[in-house]
């Protein structure tokens, strides 16, 4: 037998015993919905109840990034101080969400805000704006009178 043909036959998967047909490729079935259902049933066993009406959730990390959930599913067990948040999460820098999340920041974020304020110092912005505008030379009013 040809060694390449023998290698191909060894790689194929046989479903049953001797005499059964060989499958051409192995199909792996993975279901993500099963995992989600298992998690939801476990949360229900713990007694977590869904909290309606929450539009966004922000989780502040130590490195200055924010884990941002838009329209999340929030479940809570208030006596045990337990919360479960599920949904689509995005990791964004704090500067991207800054105007809207100022009220959510705690005292531990004040040093980070001071550093951001120093990086956006108003003196630096004025000098950059002055460099972009050229100096005006000549009398434009007199030029307008001569053209008319």
């Amino acid at each position: 037998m040809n060694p390449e043909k023998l290698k191909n036959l060894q790689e194929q998967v046989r479903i049953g015993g001797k005499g059964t047909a060989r499958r051409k490729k192995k199909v792996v079935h993975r279901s993500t919905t099963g995992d989600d259902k298992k998690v939801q049933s476990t949360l229900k066993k713990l007694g977590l109840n869904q909290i309606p009406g929450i539009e966004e959730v922000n989780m502040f990390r130590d490195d200055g990034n924010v884990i941002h959930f838009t329209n999340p599913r929030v479940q809570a067990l208030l006596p045990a101080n337990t919360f479960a948040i599920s949904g689509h999460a995005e990791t964004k820098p704090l500067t991207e969400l800054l105007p809207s999340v100022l009220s959510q920041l705690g005292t531990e974020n004040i040093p980070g805000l001071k550093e951001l304020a120093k990086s956006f110092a108003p003196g630096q912005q004025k000098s950059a704006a002055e460099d972009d505008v050229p100096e005006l030379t000549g009398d434009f009013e007199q030029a307008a009178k001569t053209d008319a």
Side-chain angles (χ1 to χ4, degrees):
M1 260 193 142
N2 188 359
E4 292 176 20
K5 187 176 179 182
L6 183 63
K7 185 177 180 183
N8 285 338
L9 289 175
Q10 288 174 346
E11 290 175 357
Q12 292 178 346
V13 178
R14 187 181 298 243
I15 297 173
K18 188 174 183 181
T20 59
R22 293 177 188 237
R23 275 202 269 177
K24 295 298 178 190
K25 70 176 181 181
K26 185 177 181 179
V27 179
V28 178
H29 297 285
R30 294 182 182 167
S31 63
T32 57
T33 58
D35 293 339
D36 189 38
K37 287 180 182 178
K38 286 180 185 179
V39 169
Q40 293 302 324
S41 67
T42 305
L43 292 174
K44 195 169 193 174
K45 286 179 188 176
L46 291 173
L48 273 77
N49 298 321
Q50 186 168 354
I51 301 174
I54 296 180
E55 296 175 0
E56 71 174 4
V57 173
N58 294 315
M59 300 174 106
F60 299 96
R61 294 176 35 181
D62 291 335
D63 62 356
N65 290 330
V66 178
I67 301 172
H68 179 74
F69 291 88
T70 306
N71 293 326
R73 182 176 180 185
V74 179
Q75 295 172 305
L77 182 61
L78 296 177
N81 199 21
T82 304
F83 294 89
I85 301 168
S86 59
H88 180 67
E90 299 177 48
T91 303
K92 297 181 178 182
L94 181 62
T95 55
E96 190 174 323
L97 300 170
L98 195 56
S100 62
V101 296
L102 278 176
S103 62
Q104 300 172 6
L105 294 175
T107 57
E108 62 273 358
N109 297 98
I110 290 176
L113 284 175
K114 286 182 181 178
E115 291 176 20
L116 285 173
K118 287 179 184 176
S119 67
F120 293 117
Q124 294 174 352
Q125 289 179 351
K126 285 183 182 176
S127 64
E130 290 175 358
D131 291 340
D132 292 340
V133 179
E135 292 290 328
L136 295 177
T137 56
D139 188 12
F140 291 104
E141 290 179 9
Q142 187 165 357
K145 288 180 184 175
T146 58
D147 290 340

